[in-house]
Structure formats: structure tokens, C-alpha cells
Amino acid sequence: ECSVLGHLFDTAIFAYLMAIEKGEKERKAAQYFFMGIFHDVPEAFTRDIPSPIKDKIPGFRELTEQYEMKMMEQEVYPYVSEDVEIALKKVMMEDKENAEFKPLLKGADYLSATSEIWRQYMDPTFAETMVRQGNQFSSDGKVQVTESAKKLYEKMLKSL
């Protein structure tokens, strides 16, 4: 069990701090923060499908993201003002306009999940899951974390 709001907030904080560490300006770091806060909103339409499942089935992640955005277009945007729609689109990770933000946001998302495991369980049996999360911090550019985030992850892993 985990708090969805806690996960969103942790992701936002990690994304903001990593953006600052990368040398991003305050405005862009704030966008990372808000993207972290809103990053799972479209999952209201698909539920939380774990990343390993999305990544195991070729094309499944892209398909779920397309569906989530379609549902945002049909079920959310028509019911909010134009200003709110524009603001939401700026923080939707699935929106193609935000592709540059996705690797660091994904890193913050995984780091948040890892910290949830660490805080809730502090149990060596969950170390394997944390190692898998760490393996997601890749050099292929799909998932990015900063040096400070890597150190935090390693500290959590060593404490189990």
C-alpha cells in the first residue's frame, strides 16, 4: 500500500531537485515539479499498470500513453477552461511536446517508488525490487537521474 499523493509529491520533489542539480533555470525546474505532481493523472483511465509490464510487451507503453491522452482529450479538456487545458498540457508527460522532460521525470518516478519501498518496508526481501529499479537508471537516455539521486538510491539500498 502506498499513498498516491505521497508518490506524486515525492516524484515532483525529486524531479525539481534533479533539474536544479542539472543546472536548469528555476522556471524549467518548476515545470519538472508540476509534471511530477500531475504525471499519473492520465492513469485514472488505465489504472496503474506497472512499468515492467508496460516495457515487457512491445509497443504497450506507447499504446497506453496514446489511450491516456485520448481520454484526457475526451474526458477532461472539454470540461475545463482553455487556460486550464493549456496549463495541463504543459505538465502532461505523455504529451509529445514534453518529450525532453520524460527521461528525468521517469528517473524521479522510479526514485520515488524506490524511496516508498525503503520507507515502508526497510526489509531486505525488497532489496531485489530496489535493485531492479536502480537498473532502470540507464545510460540509454530513457531514464535519467543525477549523481545526488544515485547516491541517495545507493544509501537506501545499502541500509537494507
Side-chain angles (χ1 to χ4, degrees), residues 23-121:
E24 300 291 358
K25 301 280 188 218
E26 177 65 29
R27 185 175 184 87
K28 194 166 187 178
Q31 187 168 357
Y32 273 108
F33 176 86
F34 284 105
M35 289 179 84
I37 287 288
F38 286 95
H39 81 278
D40 280 341
V41 167
E43 288 183 6
F45 300 105
T46 57
R47 304 292 182 248
D48 185 18
I49 302 168
S51 285
I53 292 171
K54 287 181 187 176
D55 294 335
K56 266 275 196 258
I57 303 167
F60 189 57
R61 177 178 293 280
E62 293 78 15
L63 186 65
T64 58
E65 289 177 1
Q66 288 171 8
Y67 178 76
E68 289 167 352
M69 290 313 294
K70 178 182 175 185
M71 295 307 293
M72 292 291 290
E73 294 285 345
Q74 289 178 356
E75 303 295 331
V76 176
Y77 298 147
Y79 302 100
V80 298
S81 71
E82 185 179 342
D83 290 341
V84 170
E85 179 180 347
I86 290 167
L88 280 172
K89 286 181 177 180
K90 286 182 182 175
V91 295
M92 288 294 110
M93 191 164 63
E94 295 78 7
D95 195 296
K96 287 182 175 73
E97 298 291 318
N98 297 325
E100 70 174 289
F101 294 91
K102 196 167 186 174
L104 190 132
L105 244 309
K106 222 43 209 159
D109 190 18
Y110 289 160
L111 191 58
S112 173
T114 299
S115 68
E116 289 166 30
I117 292 167
W118 181 77
R119 283 192 310 263
Q120 290 184 29
Y121 301 107

